[in-house]
Amino acid sequence: MAAFGSSTQAIPDTGEVPRHVAIIMDGNGRWARKRFLPRVAGHKRGVEVLRRVIQACVERGIEYLTVFAFSSENWRRPTEEVSFLMNLFVSALTEEVARLHENGIRLKIVGDLSRFEPRLRELIAEGERTTAGNGRLTLTIAANYGGRWDILQACNRLARALPEKCGEWSESDLTPFLAMAHAPEPDLFIRTGGEQRISNFMIWQLAYAELYFTDRLWPEFDARTLDAAIASYRRRERRFGRTSEQLQGGDAGALPEAAATQTQDA
Ligand code: IPE
Ligand code: IPE
Ligand code: MG
């Protein structure tokens, strides 16, 4: 059932350009504050930046872009900021879906959508439906998303789907139920805004991602910053548990026979 392998089970194919880039777009509030603007001005600017970054990803042949727009913890912010963000989400979907569709982009939203207003939920469903057949780039927006929420909802759905195997579930039983089942695991993770933490983003899928942190605030992010992150990614040696010598010698470093049989995709 799983469309994509797991980096802890098999060694994924990696290329010059990351196939999947995941970004925590952080620093909007600080960007605005530096300019004596209300924090929300930073969020507004952040949407414009995202539009340009999507374009840059398409131009570079990146197949999947996943961005963290609103975390399950962001409800703790002042009510006015939360409602501004919700309205911004509505207006961005209203204005951008047609453009995404014209550019061959498939839109996916992941997160616990049950807490959103019906109007927003409708726009999300409509946006996903309209763009479902596109294949140039898959843009996933994580909204009211939390990595722990995702793992738990996947476990609960698996428990209902496969109760007879309870106690013996494997990674490949679980992964189809994760919210990101439509995408391979991220190759490159970027966080803007200077913090060096994951903040409950894709904690399952980031197991073997290359991490890149920049002090640049999200509203200042551009194609050049993206290229710097990709250049850094290219310099990394992705070992997936193997030794450097194995990689140099072209040894795939396959799992021993017995282990391989146990962990192969069911
Ligand atoms: C990220 O920017 C956007 C959201 C979390 C919605 P922030 O709003 O966290 O900006 P800072 O970190 O306060 O500067
Ligand atoms: C993470 O940013 C979530 C988003 C960018 C949507 P936060 O600004 O909420 O993260 P913390 O609270 O500083 O870790
Ligand atoms: Mg922040």
Side-chain angles (χ1 to χ4, degrees):
M1 176 142 89
F4 296 104
S6 148
S7 57
T8 53
Q9 299 291 289
I11 298 162
D13 287 336
T14 54
E16 286 283 286
V17 174
R19 191 173 176 209
H20 184 174
V21 176
I23 309 182
I24 297 189
M25 311 181 290
D26 196 21
N28 293 351
R30 278 165 285 162
W31 178 88
R33 282 294 180 221
K34 271 198 336 202
R35 284 158 184 77
F36 305 102
L37 295 167
R39 288 179 51 84
V40 296
H43 298 319
K44 203 156 166 269
R45 175 67 172 236
V47 175
E48 290 159 28
V49 169
L50 177 57
R51 191 188 299 132
R52 291 202 293 269
V53 170
I54 294 167
Q55 189 52 38
C57 286
V58 168
E59 286 162 8
R60 281 152 187 78
I62 291 163
E63 292 174 61
Y64 297 85
L65 171 66
T66 303
V67 294
F68 206 3
F70 191 86
S71 77
S72 41
E73 290 71 37
N74 286 146
W75 297 105
R76 296 172 182 155
R77 294 194 176 195
T79 330
E80 313 82 70
E81 182 168 340
V82 170
S83 63
F84 183 93
L85 284 165
M86 292 302 138
N87 291 335
L88 190 62
F89 200 10
V90 168
S91 63
L93 283 170
T94 314
E95 286 160 29
E96 303 294 335
V97 168
R99 195 199 314 257
L100 293 176
H101 190 42
E102 274 166 30
N103 286 295
I105 295 165
R106 170 169 73 141
L107 176 68
K108 298 284 271 182
I109 314 288
V110 293
D112 179 3
L113 308 184
S114 66
R115 213 168 149 184
F116 292 145
E117 296 282 319
R119 166 95 186 110
L120 181 51
R121 292 215 301 264
E122 270 166 38
L123 282 169
I124 288 171
E126 210 177 288
E128 289 191 333
R129 220 175 17 246
T130 310
T131 61
N134 297 335
R136 206 159 169 208
L137 169 86
T138 297
L139 167 68
T140 306
I141 299 179
N144 194 21
Y145 172 90
R148 291 184 179 180
W149 163 83
D150 189 15
I151 293 169
L152 269 177
Q153 68 80 28
C155 289
N156 284 325
R157 290 204 290 149
L158 173 59
R160 285 193 289 274
L162 220 63
E164 65 283 0
K165 217 185 149 187
C166 178
E168 282 160 31
W169 293 326
S170 65
E171 267 192 39
S172 53
D173 289 329
L174 183 74
T175 45
F177 294 97
L178 290 166
M180 290 299 301
H182 61 278
E185 292 173 16
D187 302 292
L188 172 62
F189 160 92
I190 301 172
R191 181 171 186 147
T192 64
E195 313 297 349
Q196 303 201 353
R197 54 178 173 253
I198 304 291
S199 298
N200 199 15
F201 187 43
M202 294 178 86
I203 48 180
W204 176 282
Q205 296 85 351
L206 289 173
Y208 260 112
E210 295 299 326
L211 309 181
Y212 183 85
F213 297 95
T214 168
D215 287 338
R216 213 157 240 257
L217 304 170
W218 176 250
E220 298 164 344
F221 193 88
D222 57 15
R224 280 181 53 199
T225 337
L226 178 66
D227 286 335
I230 295 173
S232 165
Y233 168 84
R234 283 204 182 121
R235 291 191 294 271
R236 314 275 177 99
E237 187 177 62
R238 302 194 74 191
R239 290 193 285 274
F240 297 101
R242 293 163 295 178
T243 67
S244 198
E245 289 73 19
Q246 283 176 298
L247 291 174
Q248 251 97 81
D251 173 359
L255 293 171
E257 196 63 39
T261 349
Q262 273 168 19
T263 53
Q264 251 163 20
D265 231 16

Coordinates of all heavy atoms in Angstrom, one line a residue, residues 24-26 68-71 74 77 191 195 197 199, ligand 2:
I24 N 10.3 25.3 7.5 CA 9.6 26.0 8.6 C 9.9 27.5 8.3 O 11.0 28.0 8.4 CB 10.2 25.6 10.0 CG1 9.9 24.1 10.3 CG2 9.5 26.5 11.1 CD1 10.2 23.7 11.7
M25 N 8.8 28.1 7.9 CA 8.9 29.6 7.5 C 8.7 30.4 8.8 O 7.6 30.8 9.2 CB 7.7 29.9 6.6 CG 7.5 28.9 5.4 SD 6.2 29.3 4.3 CE 4.7 29.0 5.3
D26 N 9.9 30.7 9.5 CA 9.8 31.4 10.8 C 10.4 32.7 10.7 O 11.3 33.0 9.9 CB 10.5 30.5 11.8 CG 10.2 30.9 13.2 OD1 9.1 31.6 13.4 OD2 10.9 30.6 14.1
F68 N 5.5 24.7 6.6 CA 4.8 24.8 7.9 C 4.2 26.2 8.0 O 4.9 27.2 8.1 CB 5.8 24.6 9.1 CG 5.2 24.0 10.3 CD1 3.8 23.6 10.4 CD2 6.0 23.8 11.4 CE1 3.3 23.1 11.5 CE2 5.4 23.2 12.6 CZ 4.1 22.8 12.6
A69 N 2.8 26.2 7.9 CA 2.1 27.5 7.9 C 1.5 27.8 9.3 O 1.4 29.0 9.7 CB 1.1 27.5 6.9
F70 N 1.1 26.8 10.0 CA 0.4 27.0 11.3 C 0.5 25.8 12.1 O 0.1 24.7 11.7 CB -1.1 27.4 11.1 CG -1.8 27.9 12.3 CD1 -1.7 29.3 12.7 CD2 -2.5 27.1 13.1 CE1 -2.3 29.7 13.8 CE2 -3.1 27.5 14.2 CZ -3.1 28.9 14.6
S71 N 1.1 25.8 13.3 CA 1.3 24.6 14.1 C 0.1 24.4 15.0 O -0.6 25.4 15.3 CB 2.6 24.7 14.8 OG 2.5 25.5 16.0
N74 N 0.3 26.9 17.6 CA 0.1 28.3 17.3 C -1.3 28.9 17.8 O -1.5 30.1 17.8 CB 0.3 28.6 15.8 CG 1.8 28.6 15.4 OD1 2.1 28.2 14.3 ND2 2.7 29.0 16.3
R77 N -1.4 31.7 20.4 CA -1.0 33.1 20.2 C -2.3 34.0 20.5 O -3.4 33.5 20.6 CB -0.6 33.3 18.7 CG 0.7 32.5 18.5 CD 1.3 32.9 17.2 NE 2.6 32.3 17.0 CZ 3.5 32.6 16.2 NH1 3.3 33.5 15.3 NH2 4.6 31.9 16.1
R191 N 15.0 25.7 8.1 CA 14.3 26.6 9.0 C 14.9 28.0 8.9 O 16.1 28.2 9.1 CB 14.4 26.1 10.4 CG 13.5 27.0 11.4 CD 13.4 26.5 12.8 NE 12.4 27.3 13.5 CZ 11.6 27.0 14.4 NH1 11.5 25.7 14.7 NH2 10.8 27.8 15.0
E195 N 16.2 30.0 14.8 CA 16.0 29.0 15.8 C 16.5 27.7 15.2 O 16.2 27.4 14.0 CB 14.5 28.9 16.2 CG 13.8 30.1 16.5 CD 14.3 30.9 17.7 OE1 15.2 30.4 18.4 OE2 13.9 32.1 17.8
R197 N 15.5 24.4 16.0 CA 14.6 23.4 16.5 C 13.6 22.9 15.5 O 13.4 23.6 14.5 CB 13.9 23.8 17.8 CG 13.2 25.1 17.7 CD 12.5 25.5 19.0 NE 11.9 26.8 19.0 CZ 12.4 27.9 19.6 NH1 13.5 27.8 20.3 NH2 11.8 29.1 19.5
S199 N 10.2 22.1 16.3 CA 8.9 22.6 16.7 C 7.8 21.7 16.3 O 6.8 22.2 15.7 CB 8.7 24.1 16.1 OG 9.7 24.9 16.7
Ligands
IPE2 C1 6.9 27.0 13.9 O1 7.2 28.4 14.3 C2 5.6 27.0 13.2 C3 5.5 27.7 12.0 C4 6.4 28.3 11.3 C5 4.2 27.7 11.4 P1 6.9 28.9 15.7 O2 7.4 30.3 15.7 O3 5.5 28.7 16.2 O4 7.9 28.0 16.6 P2 8.5 28.1 18.1 O5 7.3 28.3 19.0 O6 9.3 29.4 18.1 O7 9.2 26.9 18.3

